[in-house]
Structure formats: C-alpha cells, structure tokens
Amino acid sequence: MSGFWDFKVWGSILVFAAIFGSLLIANIIKKSIPFMRKSLIPTSVLAGLLLLAASAIYQGISGRVMFDEPAFNGNGMQFLEVITYHCLALGFIASAFKTSQNKMSKKRTVEIFDSGVTTVATYLLQAIFGLGITLIVALIIPGFFKAAGVLLPFGFGQGSGQALNYGTIYQNDYGFTGGSSFGLAVAALGFLSASIGGVIHLNISSHRGRLKASDSEECAITAEEVQAANEIPMQESVDKLTLQIALIGFAYFIAYLMMWGLGALLPGMKSTIYGFNFLLGVISATLVKTVLRFLRRRNVIKKEYTNNFLLTRTSNFFFDIMVVAGIAAIQIETLKTYWGVLLILGAVGMAITFIYTRFVSKVLFKEYAEEQFLATYGMLTGTASTGIILLREVDKDFRTPAADNLVYQTFPAIVFGFPMMLLANWAPKSPYWCLVVFVAFFAAMNLILFRSKLFRFGKKKTAAAEESPDAVEDDGHAE
C-alpha cells in the first residue's frame, strides 16, 4: 500500500476540497458584493464558474489540465464527471424518499398533471429548436455532429447530470468528439439563462409595478419540521441524518443491481441503461419507501425513519455538488470549434423557454401565473433548485401552489418524458426523422395540455345547437 502521504490516498479528497473551497469563496462573493447579492445566480453555479476560470488560467500558463495533475490523482477531470453522474441520482433518490402530508384536491391534481406535461412539452420544444439548429450547422460545417442539439433539453431542462450522461453516450457510441464537455457547457449556459432571464424579468415587472419582490430573508424552521412526534429521535445510538444517508445509499445499491441486470440482458443498450441511473434510483427509493410504510402499518417498526427536512437538505447538498462538479468538468480546449454553436443554442434555448413557459402559465395557471412562470422557467433552464430561487423572489413563504407543482410534477414528467429520452438515443442515427417525431410529439403534448381550452369550443357549439333546435329545422326547411 502507498504511504498515507501519497497523492493516491489524497487525490480524490483534494478534488472535493476544491469543490467545497469554491463553494465557500462563491458564498463570500455573493454575500459581500452588492451586485452579486442582488443577482439570482446560484452560489453553486458561481462556484463552478470560479473553478472553470481557475482551470482555464492554469492551463493557459502551464499548458496542462489543472485537475489532471498528480495532486488530483492524474484523473481529476474524469472524477468530476463521475461525481456529477452519481450526485444526479443521489439527489433524486433523496427527493423520492420524501413524503407528502397534503391531500390532493381534483383541481390540484389537474394543475400538477399540467405542470408535468408543460415540462415535457418544453423539453420537446428545446429538442426541436436545438436539433434544427445543429442540422443547419452540419450543412455549413461538414463533419459536425448533427444530433448535438438534442443535448439542449438535457442541459437546460434536466441539468448537468443528464447533459453529461447523453453527451458521454454521443461521445463514446457515436463519435461526437468532446460530447461530454459540450453537454456540460450547454447546462452551464442553461444556469446562466435562468439567472439572466429571471433577473431581467423580475426587474422589468417590478419597474412596471406588476409585482413586488418578497423579502429574501430565510423563514424560521419549526421544531416539528426537524423532529416530528412519530419519528425516530434526532440522536440515539445512530444519528438521524446517518439513517437518511444509509437509506439513500441502500436504494442506490438496489438501483445498481437493476442496471447490472438490465445491462446483462440488453448489452447493446448498456450505455442507455446506466444513463438512467436517476430514474432507476427513484424507482428503487419508491420500493424501499413502500416496504417501510408496510412494516410501519404492521407495527414491525414503531417510528418513521425518513424525515422531509433532512432529506431536502441532503438532496440539495447532492445537487449543489453536482452543479459545481459539472461546470468544473468542462474541458474548454475541446470546445474551441463549438463556441459559436453553443452561444446560438444558449440564446435560442433561453428565448423559447421564456416565451413558452410564460404563455402556458398565463393560460393555465391564471391564479398564480407569475409564480408558476418563474418556478417553471427556472427549473427548465437549470434545476428545481433554480426554480425555487426565482420563485422565492415573489413568493417567499410558498403560499401559492407553484413550489408544490415543481415537486409533484416529476411523476407525470417521467411518464411522458421517457419516450423522448429513448428518442434521444435514436437521434444520431436518423436525425431528420427524429426531428419529425419530436414535432409530432410536441403537438400531441400541447393537445393534452390545452385540452380544456381546445375542446371547450366544440362543447359550446353542441350546447348552443341543443338550445336552439328550431334554427336547425329552419335551416333544413330552407334547403
């Protein structure tokens, strides 16, 4: 074994030290500089950009990749991608373990369903424009990877974890040089779009008197949130937080067994299967939660083991680490020829996401259109956390259902979004046909989304005809 002073022992720890150090510095900058304090850029995004800048400066001076130096085990860039990959699934698993205490009315169920459909429809809109742009670029630049634009919905709509997953699949299976960095760069542009677009909208709306921003101070946390009466104690022979992490780790192990089994059965789809680690993680967490609920009803276990407050903190921790590592893992050198395309994708992605989510919120969520728009736009250009950051500017206490919509829309979004994820694997083989399918799928999602508006006219016509049968008879007699 190497001595404890060897970089093989410390390399991975030093990568995490860089991540945590950048978060601390970013937080100081956010709190100390007035301009940054007023901005809505997440601290995790700022931390990732700081590491990316430091890495670019180091490479410019030394000609070497900073995170691939011996101090970081010589493979720090790859390790950052691994962190991004795993933190995506771990964050989703932590969220899946949370329980809802609220009973859903019919109206709330419809709103949550519509929120999920809006999410998938926006994914498809981003995919249509993204793929359309890169197909045009491929006509101008011979050899350009035609399906690169499909990474727009994964980078914008689902964040750096999924952008890395599909970018890596395109890179390893279809020869897209720099695919993983391209996906991560799209995700970084998405976070910037959430911040820039959100800030501009809030400032314009405030200037026109359409809204009054909420006080951004943190709300007090009640004792019941941390320790409910029917839950295990905070500190016993094992800490309560330790048990939350143990459940998350156990669920992820079950997810790995699922991926291993499916990969053995379908070796040709192994990359795709392992790219769905977050989805299988949610399924395994749901199974574990169901077993715990069954044992609780049978009185085999006396107390609740999960705690929503701690699970929220844990999921946010994983997502923050995912964002920092994902941005820091971008290899700028491999993107030199792609910057123009990336900027076009980023600008178009921001514009279409802003316009579409704004329109949907005004039409379908009239009672809290502003809150729904900010939450949805933030989520569909970054992550759910970004959506919450924007929402807090106008709804600090989450009095509107917009925050709950972000949480509970996940299930309908997964159900309707799963076919799109499969289509993304088909895109490199038949990009033009895939574009046609995306358009048809988008049209179908909008028929579902605006069903009450589209089919109300037909109902009104029928009702009007039933109320005036004489008019029909007169028409027939006239003929």
Side-chain angles (χ1 to χ4, degrees), residues 266-307:
L266 304 167
M269 293 188 65
K270 186 174 285 189
S271 294
T272 303
I273 291 166
Y274 278 86
F276 286 123
N277 64 329
F278 75 100
L279 178 57
L280 292 171
V282 168
I283 293 171
S284 64
T286 304
L287 291 174
V288 173
K289 188 167 69 171
T290 302
V291 171
L292 288 174
R293 192 181 297 122
F294 173 79
L295 295 175
R296 180 88 168 86
R297 283 201 302 265
R298 294 283 181 172
N299 211 31
V300 176
I301 56 177
K302 310 296 182 182
K303 298 281 187 179
E304 293 288 345
Y305 274 71
T306 58
N307 176 271

Side-chain angles (χ1 to χ4, degrees), residues 306-455:
T306 58
N307 176 271
N308 283 2
F309 173 76
L310 293 176
L311 287 168
T312 299
R313 304 281 72 76
T314 306
S315 66
N316 288 348
F317 167 78
F318 286 127
F319 287 139
D320 281 339
I321 299 303
M322 178 193 77
V323 171
V324 179
I327 296 176
I330 297 172
Q331 298 187 45
I332 296 177
E333 192 69 23
T334 63
L335 296 176
K336 281 185 176 178
T337 57
Y338 300 145
W339 278 114
V341 180
L342 282 167
L343 291 175
I344 293 171
L345 284 173
V348 172
M350 179 172 69
I352 61 172
T353 305
F354 187 99
I355 294 168
Y356 184 73
T357 55
R358 182 80 174 145
F359 173 74
V360 171
S361 299
K362 282 184 172 182
V363 174
L364 298 180
F365 302 89
K366 293 181 179 178
E367 295 178 5
Y368 51 99
E370 197 67 39
E371 292 83 358
Q372 178 71 13
F373 161 69
L374 287 168
T376 306
Y377 173 76
M379 178 185 67
L380 291 171
T381 49
T383 62
S385 298
T386 320
I388 292 295
I389 289 171
L390 290 176
L391 177 61
R392 281 181 61 84
E393 295 296 314
V394 295
D395 186 15
K396 180 190 70 173
D397 298 323
F398 301 139
R399 290 175 180 164
T400 66
D404 284 343
N405 289 351
L406 283 191
V407 176
Y408 300 123
Q409 60 84 34
T410 305
F411 180 72
I414 288 175
V415 172
F416 286 110
F418 186 71
M420 195 204 85
M421 295 179 181
L422 295 177
L423 281 172
N425 288 280
W426 179 45
K429 301 174 185 177
S430 303
Y432 293 100
W433 275 112
C434 196
L435 181 60
V436 173
V437 176
F438 279 146
V439 171
F441 197 2
F442 176 70
M445 287 294 98
N446 279 278
L447 283 175
I448 295 172
L449 188 60
F450 297 105
R451 60 198 178 279
S452 62
K453 306 295 181 184
L454 292 172
F455 301 114

